[in-house]
Amino acid sequence: LSALLGVGAGVWLFARGAPLEKEAAYGIALGAVFWGIVGARVFHVIDYAGFYADAPFRAAYLWSGGMALWGGLLGGGAYAAWRLRCDRPLLARTADAAALPVLIGMAVGRIGDFIVGERAAHATSLPWGVVYGHEDAAAYAGGAVVHPVAAYELLLDAALAAALWRLSGRLREGARFALAMTGYAAGRFLLSFARVDPSWGGLQQAQWIGLAVAIAGVYWLVRTRALSAAR
């Protein structure tokens, strides 16, 4: 429910601020949501390929959970980029308009993740650790105290949204979206060390993707001298 609320809030906020006709804005947003769901599921299936190799039909069981957020961001972003591929300046402005709504939508979605223990995490002795008592929770650890990783990501999204709002008047065109994704990629890379997910070459899927996105984002920010337009 919180994920649906987050998607709804993000779509509404995007449509209000996008440099597009309302109908076009909603069309792109809803298309991005659809392809985001597809991308999120595909990346999740890849991440847990061993499980789905033994039961491939379960890949279609969307109701049982299993979404990779990076897959959603990349799938939705790829669709929007394809729709606006013929007008690069408009694409940059539209991406900027999507940055804050995406962060807010992700933050809202993490509320439900935190409540139900949707993210498995490592044990911790920190005073804000949590115990999930329901055996169906992904974060259930037999009574052990674990990191509240969903809460960490909620705070990351909220902090990035606040920073972006403060800096919005100082950024060049296209830099707002790049800054949002770079900040999220770096934060998610670090927070993933507290999560329990399959690893490839010592890092989780989200960390490898985060590294690539962060490098691309830093390159873009440096290349465009993002803050040189300060007023």
Side-chain angles (χ1 to χ4, degrees), residues 58-100:
R58 289 184 176 272
Y61 290 6
L62 297 181
W63 56 87
S64 65
M67 296 285 178
L69 185 55
W70 271 123
L73 292 173
L74 295 175
Y79 170 78
W82 177 78
R83 281 285 304 271
L84 299 170
R85 65 192 181 283
C86 295
D87 192 336
R88 289 190 177 182
L90 180 59
L91 173 58
R93 294 196 300 273
T94 302
D96 280 346
L100 198 56

Side-chain angles (χ1 to χ4, degrees), residues 71-131:
L73 292 173
L74 295 175
Y79 170 78
W82 177 78
R83 281 285 304 271
L84 299 170
R85 65 192 181 283
C86 295
D87 192 336
R88 289 190 177 182
L90 180 59
L91 173 58
R93 294 196 300 273
T94 302
D96 280 346
L100 198 56
V102 167
L103 289 171
I104 292 173
M106 290 195 300
V108 172
R110 290 306 185 196
I111 295 173
D113 286 350
F114 173 59
I115 292 172
V116 304
E118 184 65 17
R119 300 289 177 261
H122 291 292
T124 182
S125 59
L126 294 171
W128 54 79
V130 295
V131 177

Side-chain angles (χ1 to χ4, degrees), residues 10-227:
V11 169
W12 181 73
L13 289 170
F14 170 74
R16 283 175 58 87
L20 301 163
E21 297 280 346
K22 279 290 189 291
E23 184 176 343
Y26 276 112
I28 288 176
L30 293 176
V33 169
F34 173 79
W35 287 107
I37 292 172
V38 173
R41 187 61 174 177
V42 168
F43 275 58
H44 168 76
V45 171
I46 292 172
D47 207 15
Y48 290 85
F51 170 78
Y52 289 102
D54 294 332
F57 55 90
R58 289 184 176 272
Y61 290 6
L62 297 181
W63 56 87
S64 65
M67 296 285 178
L69 185 55
W70 271 123
L73 292 173
L74 295 175
Y79 170 78
W82 177 78
R83 281 285 304 271
L84 299 170
R85 65 192 181 283
C86 295
D87 192 336
R88 289 190 177 182
L90 180 59
L91 173 58
R93 294 196 300 273
T94 302
D96 280 346
L100 198 56
V102 167
L103 289 171
I104 292 173
M106 290 195 300
V108 172
R110 290 306 185 196
I111 295 173
D113 286 350
F114 173 59
I115 292 172
V116 304
E118 184 65 17
R119 300 289 177 261
H122 291 292
T124 182
S125 59
L126 294 171
W128 54 79
V130 295
V131 177
Y132 288 95
H134 200 295
E135 294 183 1
D136 288 341
Y140 176 75
V145 181
V146 299
H147 284 282
V149 289
Y152 294 165
E153 292 182 28
L154 189 162
L155 293 174
L156 171 65
D157 295 334
L160 287 172
L164 205 63
W165 181 75
R166 289 290 299 274
L167 289 171
S168 60
R170 303 176 55 198
L171 298 172
R172 288 187 181 276
E173 187 175 281
R176 188 186 308 173
F177 182 78
L179 182 61
M181 289 299 98
T182 302
Y184 178 74
R188 178 66 186 276
F189 179 88
L190 295 175
L191 294 180
S192 290
F193 285 111
R195 291 182 53 150
V196 176
D197 280 313
S199 62
W200 306 354
L203 294 177
Q204 298 168 19
Q205 181 194 79
Q207 291 177 303
W208 286 115
I209 297 172
L211 275 176
V213 172
I215 291 171
V218 169
Y219 169 76
W220 175 256
L221 292 171
V222 172
R223 183 173 179 270
T224 57
R225 298 177 183 176
L227 289 173

